[in-house]
Amino acid sequence: MRKNSAKVAVGAGLPEVYPRLWRFCLVLCKDRALADDLAQSTCARALEKANQFTPGTHLDRWLFTMARRIWLNEQRAGKIRQGRGLVPVEDADIPDHSSGPETNILAREVFTMIEALPEGQRITALLVYVEGQSYREAAEILDIPIGTVMSRLSTVRKTINGQMTRTKDEG
């Protein structure tokens, strides 16, 4: 009975979580086509392994963890190659309909800065600042100590603040 309810919960929750999952995959891959493939692989794996999901818990965290593990396994196996360049934010199709143009411009600038960060910092920033995961939840998803999450985010804040200050001084 639990297996069936878990499969129903995963199947019903995937459409709602999919845009966030795809965005997470895009940050991992830095390539739209690879993000599509990774998100689809994650959904397929989630449906296959649905009996391992506990209904009533956080489907998004479970999927993010699964996507990251698939990505790492594919990297290790040599199936996915990085270095194909960054995806321009304008091409990422991550609209924010709730704010004005000035906010969108600033968000685009900050997101571009985040995209240029090293992978560990970039993924940690996405999970905490964009997806709203707590430090503890991000640590669990990334399988790292909470202190590492805190350190990465501190570095991200300093880096972005320094870039924003330089940009403001130049303008």
Side-chain angles (χ1 to χ4, degrees), residues 93-155:
D93 287 335
I94 306 174
D96 180 7
H97 301 291
S98 64
S99 56
E102 296 84 12
T103 303
N104 287 337
I105 291 168
L106 179 61
R108 184 179 314 133
E109 289 173 3
V110 172
F111 196 74
T112 299
M113 290 177 200
I114 289 173
E115 281 185 320
L117 294 170
E119 182 177 342
Q121 293 175 11
R122 187 178 68 245
I123 294 168
T124 305
L126 174 86
L127 286 173
V128 174
Y129 297 140
V130 177
E131 293 300 330
Q133 302 293 328
S134 70
Y135 288 10
R136 181 184 52 75
E137 293 162 347
E140 289 173 8
I141 290 168
L142 298 173
D143 195 26
I144 59 176
I146 194 167
T148 303
V149 169
M150 295 165 63
S151 174
R152 287 180 182 177
L153 293 175
S154 174
T155 303

Side-chain angles (χ1 to χ4, degrees), residues 19-70:
R20 294 175 50 221
L21 172 64
W22 183 86
R23 181 174 53 213
F24 179 74
C25 293
L26 178 62
V27 169
L28 283 173
C29 302
K30 296 177 154 183
D31 181 283
R32 294 173 61 87
L34 294 176
D36 289 341
D37 292 344
L38 180 58
Q40 290 174 14
S41 295
T42 302
C43 289
R45 176 85 47 89
L47 292 171
E48 289 171 12
K49 306 284 184 181
N51 61 331
Q52 296 176 6
F53 177 70
T54 304
T57 61
H58 296 275
L59 180 61
D60 58 346
R61 293 183 209 158
W62 188 64
L63 292 169
F64 292 163
T65 302
M66 190 177 296
R68 182 177 168 273
R69 287 183 180 151
I70 291 170

